[in-house]
Amino acid sequence: ELKVEQNPLFLSMQEGKNYTIYCNYSTTSDRLYWYRQDPGKSLESLFVLLSNGAVKQEGRLMASLDTKARLSTLHITAAVHDLSATYFCAVVPLTGNQFYFGTGTSLTVIP
Amino acid sequence: ETGVTQTPRHLVMGMTNKKSLKCEQHLGHNAMYWYKQSAKKPLELMFVYNFKEQTENNSVPSRFSPECPNSSHLFLHLHTLQPEDSALYLCASSQEGPLGSPNEQFFGPGTRLTVL
């Protein structure tokens, strides 16, 4: 059974601090996606990572992909309240076209 | 309208009712998806349509019946649902490449379904 595990599941961090969310998966893949979901809202695409070593940055968020370790990270730099949301990673196996989502990381940034 | 739209946004129904969820994508994509999002669970893929043909059906109970009349519209017909079917139902679309590899999925706002 293909697994996509995120940790932590819940994260409370102070404004201005840095932290990393991890996404581990159990299949061979070179496609990984990060999404953000605000309460009561839909999923918003953040990053698309399509090769080993891919790194993308947008504002205070930076995502990377290590396909050999089957690991992606979402790094938060100098967190602000607006980043409070649930973050999901999703993997597409090399031999398929289905998206497998992680359980999500609920991030709360406190003043 | 832009992106992916879903109607209704909220739906309350009894277990004996029949209702339908509608999804429309304005992105020119060739693949559409239904997901179920329950509290404290990962998103569950229910159905996938590529070029209007159903290609995935992840053991979804027959009380959920999808319909894809064209590449822009997707329906989810509901009948005799159970209270445990209460969830957020999300529609998504993507453009699949020539080898079938999907690109980024774009999600609609979802329908919050409550079954009494």
Side-chain angles (χ1 to χ4, degrees):
Chain A
E1 181 189 349
L2 193 155
K3 291 186 178 179
V4 182
E5 296 181 334
Q6 288 182 235
N7 73 83
L9 297 183
F10 298 93
L11 175 58
S12 180
M13 57 189 297
Q14 283 192 310
E15 279 189 332
K17 297 292 187 182
N18 304 333
Y19 207 86
T20 301
I21 298 171
Y22 297 89
C23 173
N24 291 273
Y25 52 94
S26 63
T27 187
T28 304
S29 171
D30 61 357
R31 293 175 170 266
L32 190 131
Y33 305 80
W34 283 97
Y35 289 86
R36 167 184 171 143
Q37 185 177 35
D38 291 291
K41 301 284 182 67
S42 188
L43 276 73
E44 173 193 350
S45 178
L46 292 176
F47 298 108
V48 179
L49 303 169
L50 298 178
S51 62
N52 186 38
V55 177
K56 291 199 173 176
Q57 183 163 5
E58 180 73 34
R60 301 174 187 273
L61 300 177
M62 183 173 71
S64 66
L65 177 61
D66 182 341
T67 58
K68 293 180 182 177
R70 299 182 179 179
L71 171 69
S72 180
T73 61
L74 181 65
H75 187 73
I76 302 156
T77 302
V80 293
H81 180 70
D82 285 351
L83 291 180
S84 297
T86 300
Y87 293 85
F88 293 92
C89 63
V91 166
V92 178
L94 272 182
T95 56
N97 61 3
Q98 182 173 326
F99 279 60
Y100 290 85
F101 282 81
T103 48
T105 295
S106 177
L107 170 65
T108 303
V109 180
I110 53 179
Chain B
E1 293 277 16
T2 59
V4 181
T5 58
Q6 289 185 243
T7 55
R9 296 293 307 277
H10 300 271
L11 178 62
V12 179
M13 58 187 289
M15 291 192 286
T16 58
N17 291 156
K18 289 185 180 181
K19 297 286 185 183
S20 295
L21 310 184
K22 179 183 175 183
C23 175
E24 185 173 0
Q25 58 98 358
H26 309 268
L27 300 169
H29 289 163
N30 56 16
M32 297 185 75
Y33 312 78
W34 278 118
Y35 287 90
K36 176 183 178 182
Q37 187 178 33
S38 306
K40 299 179 182 177
K41 282 187 173 182
L43 265 72
E44 301 171 56
L45 178 66
M46 300 175 72
F47 301 104
V48 181
Y49 278 83
N50 293 346
F51 302 97
K52 302 185 300 177
E53 299 293 324
Q54 184 176 309
T55 58
E56 296 276 353
N57 176 350
N58 285 4
S59 303
V60 178
S62 59
R63 57 186 183 268
F64 295 91
S65 173
E67 179 190 0
C68 188
N70 55 60
S71 58
S72 299
H73 293 85
L74 186 63
F75 294 89
L76 187 62
H77 303 299
L78 317 171
H79 64 98
T80 59
L81 294 191
Q82 305 297 311
E84 60 264 29
D85 296 322
S86 298
L88 181 68
Y89 288 84
L90 291 164
C91 173
S93 72
S94 70
Q95 182 64 26
E96 289 219 345
L99 298 179
S101 294
N103 291 311
E104 183 179 4
Q105 288 190 352
F106 292 83
F107 284 81
T111 295
R112 174 68 63 185
L113 173 66
T114 303
V115 181
L116 302 177

